[in-house]
């Protein structure tokens, strides 16, 4: 089966061609200002003559979409209705779907949602403790994101350990530009750090993650900032960038090595937040078989892995310094032999997971 995967982001379009689960071609278009045009380019470049289906990444599927979904007009309308919850992402995802439908008429189009994996999160984790009527009327709930990555990485982790995913508990740490943690119980998401939007939880490149919600009222009432300005502050000018001026972990690590205090503090805030989620998810899961790092920072930044799990020996969590800093790439174990939980690095591959889920849906 030949699948084209389209991952339209706010500023880039990633694509891949897969034959029977193997990558045969792919690419990345950056600094995209017109997603429709970028997708047209992909469809002219890629050999899409005999594709069986197109798999689209869609960021927000609300509470309705719990699995990959064959796209028809009603599904498009539902994705459109979710735009207010993902104003940067769902519109570009929709634009990509519309062009692909136009240019590849008759080819099944499948939506794979970032939120779908998290629909198994129990109410005790999915609900915010606010007036239930207000919450319900306005769709205020924990949706969670990066689901495709957490699903792929947690299942790969189980396989790396020679275990059945359905019997394995994993804490997955997706640390990219955006970052989120997920408590995977028996192969299913049971808690995750992102919430209504991808702003909550871990410290990110330019997003604050958790802050006291009263910070927003204070900045509005006392500092006179508009809500748009506060939105911009928390999403674009916070996180590592807000703390030290650089949003790229490579720069933060380099400056910290040189003794830069702001970079060292940004690093500490970033790693402490991860440690807090590891502790919280350890408590929620009760038994943790593995802790897995993934995405740009998680796969490459040994100092982050070391610092965020330091001092947790009482929980059995130990990182082997030589394994952690080895130049190795790919799926690997970085805890000492026999340690439990096992600490792993597993490179994420969202496009492959989208291809596999698309193929699975068609085969049904
Ligand atoms: P996205 O969330 O956009 O998919 P990635 O998962 O590719 O992003 O992560 C990008 C981030 O990973 C970069 O901003 C950078 O901070 C970090 N990163 C990439 N390579 C390294 C590295 N060698 N060392 C430390 N951090 C890295």
């Amino acid at each position: 089966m030949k699948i084209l995967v389209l991952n339209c982001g706010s500023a880039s379009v990633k694509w891949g061609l897969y034959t029977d689960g193997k990558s045969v071609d792919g690419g990345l278009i950056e600094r995209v200002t017109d997603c429709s045009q970028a997708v047209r380019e992909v469809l002219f470049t890629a050999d899409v003559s005999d594709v069986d289906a197109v798999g689209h990444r869609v960021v927000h599927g609300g509470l309705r979409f719990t699995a990959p979904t064959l796209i028809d007009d009603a599904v498009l309308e539902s994705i459109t209705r979710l735009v207010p919850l993902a104003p940067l992402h769902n519109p570009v995802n929709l634009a990509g779907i519309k062009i692909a439908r136009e240019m590849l008429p008759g080819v099944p189009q499948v939506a794979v949602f970032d939120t779908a994996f998290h629909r198994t999160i129990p109410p005790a984790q999915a609900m915010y403790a606010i007036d239930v009527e207000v919450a319900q009327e306005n769709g205020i709930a924990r949706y969670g994101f990066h689901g495709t990555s957490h699903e792929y990485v947690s299942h790969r982790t189980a396989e790396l350990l020679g275990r059945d995913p359905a019997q394995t508990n994993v804490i997955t740490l997706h640390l990219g530009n955006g970052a989120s943690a997920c408590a995977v119980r028996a192969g299913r998401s049971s808690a995750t750090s992102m919430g209504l939007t991808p702003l909550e939880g871990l410290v990110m490149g330019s997003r604050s993650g958790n802050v006291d919600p009263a910070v927003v009222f204070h900045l509005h009432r006392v500092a006179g900032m508009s809500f748009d300005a506060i939105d911009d502050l928390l999403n674009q000018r916070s996180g590592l960038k807000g703390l030290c001026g650089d949003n790229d972990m490579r720069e933060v690590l380099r400056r910290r090595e040189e003794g830069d205090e702001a970079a060292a503090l940004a690093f500490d805030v970033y790693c402490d937040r991860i440690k807090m989620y590891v502790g919280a998810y350890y408590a929620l899961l009760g038994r943790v078989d593995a802790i897995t790092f993934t995405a740009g920072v998680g796969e490459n930044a040994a100092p982050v892995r070391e610092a965020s799990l330091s001092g947790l020996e009482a929980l059995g969590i130990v990182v082997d310094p030589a394994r952690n800093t080895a130049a190795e790439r790919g799926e690997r174990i970085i805890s000492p032999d026999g340690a439990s939980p096992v600490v792993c690095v597993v490179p994420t591959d969202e496009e492959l997971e989208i291809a596999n889920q698309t193929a699975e849906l068609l085969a049904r």
Side-chain angles (χ1 to χ4, degrees), residues 33-354:
T33 48
D34 179 355
C35 174
S36 308
Q37 192 49 41
V39 170
R40 254 182 224 113
E41 235 174 85
V42 170
L43 293 175
F44 283 128
T45 314
D47 174 21
V48 293
S49 50
D50 51 352
V51 289
D52 295 293
V54 184
H56 296 268
R57 176 193 183 207
V58 179
V59 166
H60 217 307
L63 296 179
R64 174 172 164 195
F65 295 107
T66 59
T69 304
L70 198 60
I71 297 169
D72 57 19
D73 291 340
V75 170
L76 272 185
E77 204 184 303
S78 298
I79 298 171
T80 307
R81 268 203 298 273
L82 291 162
V83 164
L85 287 173
L88 293 181
H89 292 103
N90 273 26
V92 288
N93 303 154
L94 281 164
I97 293 169
K98 284 179 184 156
I99 296 296
R101 276 181 117 194
E102 243 173 71
M103 291 182 62
L104 299 171
V107 175
Q109 311 276 331
V110 174
V112 177
F113 299 93
D114 263 29
T115 48
F117 182 57
H118 300 303
R119 295 285 60 77
T120 49
I121 290 178
Q125 279 296 317
M127 287 184 69
Y128 292 107
I130 63 171
D131 184 306
V132 287
E133 279 176 25
V134 173
Q136 207 155 31
E137 270 165 31
N138 296 284
I140 307 292
R142 178 179 310 286
Y143 295 100
F145 299 89
H146 289 145
T148 310
S149 177
H150 289 300
E151 182 169 16
Y152 174 80
V153 164
S154 60
H155 289 194
R156 289 298 314 160
T157 298
E159 278 160 27
L160 181 65
L161 270 52
R163 299 177 59 117
D164 176 2
Q167 311 215 342
T168 308
N169 292 351
V170 187
I171 297 172
T172 48
L173 300 163
H174 177 111
L175 312 175
N177 282 314
S180 67
C182 185
V184 181
R185 185 197 299 281
R188 292 155 172 250
S189 175
S190 65
T192 194
S193 58
M194 284 178 168
L196 177 76
T197 74
L199 181 56
E200 193 182 348
L202 300 177
V203 177
M204 310 181 208
S206 69
R207 286 174 240 163
S208 60
N210 293 343
V211 293
D212 180 344
V215 167
V216 177
F217 318 139
H218 185 85
L219 289 175
H220 181 64
R221 293 187 191 127
V222 180
M225 286 174 74
S226 69
F227 288 119
D228 283 346
I230 301 169
D231 189 324
D232 180 67
L233 173 80
L234 297 180
N235 276 296
Q236 312 287 346
R237 296 190 287 127
S238 297
L240 295 173
K241 188 177 175 60
L243 288 164
C244 76
D246 269 311
N247 64 342
D248 192 312
M249 185 56 85
R250 282 165 290 205
E251 268 309 290
V252 177
L253 294 178
R254 191 189 57 73
R255 286 172 52 192
R256 174 173 171 267
E257 279 295 302
E258 290 172 354
D260 183 310
E261 279 179 26
L265 181 60
F267 175 89
D268 290 346
V269 176
Y270 186 96
C271 295
D272 257 33
R273 188 76 54 84
I274 297 170
K275 187 180 291 184
M276 288 167 68
Y277 271 96
V278 169
Y281 288 173
Y282 200 115
L284 280 175
L285 288 171
R287 188 201 83 219
V288 179
D289 300 305
I291 298 171
T292 299
F293 289 90
T294 194
V297 176
E299 291 166 28
N300 297 299
V304 170
R305 295 191 296 257
E306 195 267 327
S308 55
L309 297 186
S310 68
L312 300 180
E313 295 81 4
L315 299 176
I317 301 171
V318 186
V319 170
D320 180 89
R323 288 184 177 177
N324 187 35
T325 53
E328 221 179 301
R329 291 278 162 273
E331 299 178 354
R332 57 203 189 268
I333 290 170
I334 58 166
S335 50
D337 290 342
S340 177
V342 180
V343 182
C344 310
V345 178
V346 172
T348 193
D349 194 337
E350 287 163 287
E351 283 73 31
L352 173 62
E353 180 67 19
I354 292 170

